[in-house]
Amino acid sequence: MADPITAPAPPDLEDRPVVELEDVHRVYPGTPPVRALDGVRLRIGAGELVGIVGPSGSGKSTLLNILGTLDRADSGLVRIDGHDVDRLSDRRLSALRGRRIGFVFQQFFLPPGVPALDSVADGLLYSGAPPERRRERARRTLERVGLADRAHHRPHELSGGQQQRVAVARALVGEPSLLLADEPTGALDSASGAGVIELLHELHRAGTTIAVITHDRNVAEELPRQVHILDGRIESDERVGRR
Ligand code: ADP
Ligand code: MG
């Protein structure tokens, strides 16, 4: 029987949101305990570009870790790409994460000394594709992020903005159902940051589902949907008609 995590979703699942959270709680133990997420409800449909906005300590990274299945909720429903995370073993959760979710962080986390093409191709290790096929897909994805001519450059030979584009390509090469970015412009000057955000807009126009955490108001204002979080609760969820 086909593995439900690796097989394409059956047609009746296609209209399902990529993300469904209902009454999600996450408490970090301690004295006192920290209620990092306190009853979060969030749906993200296929093809959306959503900004998650809020001050430091409001719970953004905790939320992203749960969306990315890097962490589990203490209670509530978490359904990612149609899979009820609570019912998956750690092993199956890793498979879901490896195949269906792409991550971009503030730090680029590119392995030093490794050419861009190989870093991106490594994003397909989970796919089981043979090396030549991985490199071909990596080449095409580097092209998508505007770095076809930098495929053989190592991280120290690339600007910060270019390194982040490589990281985006690595996250994207497996065609994930969900691309998650936590402050992707946080380590960049404003011009390179704007370039990375424009890239996310381009990917959105091409159909990728993206959730991006930012505390940069200028970045947030340009996003078609903004979810504001404060003290672990969603304060507002606005769709902007601009795009
Ligand atoms: P943000 O990303 O919006 O800055 P976080 O999700 O990182 O917020 O943190 C939310 C709250 O949970 C903060 O008060 C933070 O101090 C606390 N917190 C985050 N991670 C942990 C942890 N591993 N253990 C204990 N408390 C944590
Ligand atoms: Mg954070």
Side-chain angles (χ1 to χ4, degrees), residues 57 60-62 182-183 213:
K60 303 182 298 295
S61 292
T62 301
D182 193 350
E183 300 280 3
I213 288 182

Side-chain angles (χ1 to χ4, degrees), residues 5-65:
I5 287 178
T6 54
D12 62 315
L13 294 184
E14 256 170 24
D15 290 335
R16 271 196 181 174
V18 176
V19 167
E20 290 177 87
L21 301 187
E22 289 290 347
D23 200 26
V24 165
H25 292 257
R26 180 71 176 94
V27 180
Y28 294 112
T31 37
V34 179
R35 303 181 74 78
L37 295 180
D38 194 12
V40 167
R41 177 178 191 280
L42 178 66
R43 274 157 199 264
I44 300 177
E48 282 201 89
L49 169 55
V50 183
I52 296 170
V53 188
S56 179
S58 56
K60 303 182 298 295
S61 292
T62 301
L63 176 59
L64 188 106
N65 289 343

Side-chain angles (χ1 to χ4, degrees), residues 67-119:
L67 297 180
T69 77
L70 294 165
D71 188 21
R72 288 180 188 267
D74 293 309
S75 65
L77 171 82
V78 178
R79 196 174 284 142
I80 305 296
D81 204 23
H83 296 279
D84 204 334
V85 161
D86 210 29
R87 307 213 317 235
L88 296 181
S89 66
D90 286 346
R91 194 179 61 80
R92 294 179 60 73
L93 203 55
S94 302
L96 176 70
R97 187 186 314 125
R99 291 172 188 274
R100 302 292 194 169
I101 305 173
F103 294 91
V104 177
F105 297 99
Q106 179 171 336
Q107 279 78 31
F108 322 125
F109 294 125
L110 297 177
V114 176
L117 185 71
D118 299 87
S119 281

Side-chain angles (χ1 to χ4, degrees), residues 125-144:
L125 281 175
Y126 239 104
S127 71
E132 214 18 71
R133 171 112 184 91
R134 293 205 297 267
R135 289 169 68 81
E136 182 46 39
R137 287 179 66 180
R139 234 184 304 275
R140 272 186 289 152
T141 310
L142 277 175
E143 219 165 275
R144 271 188 90 181

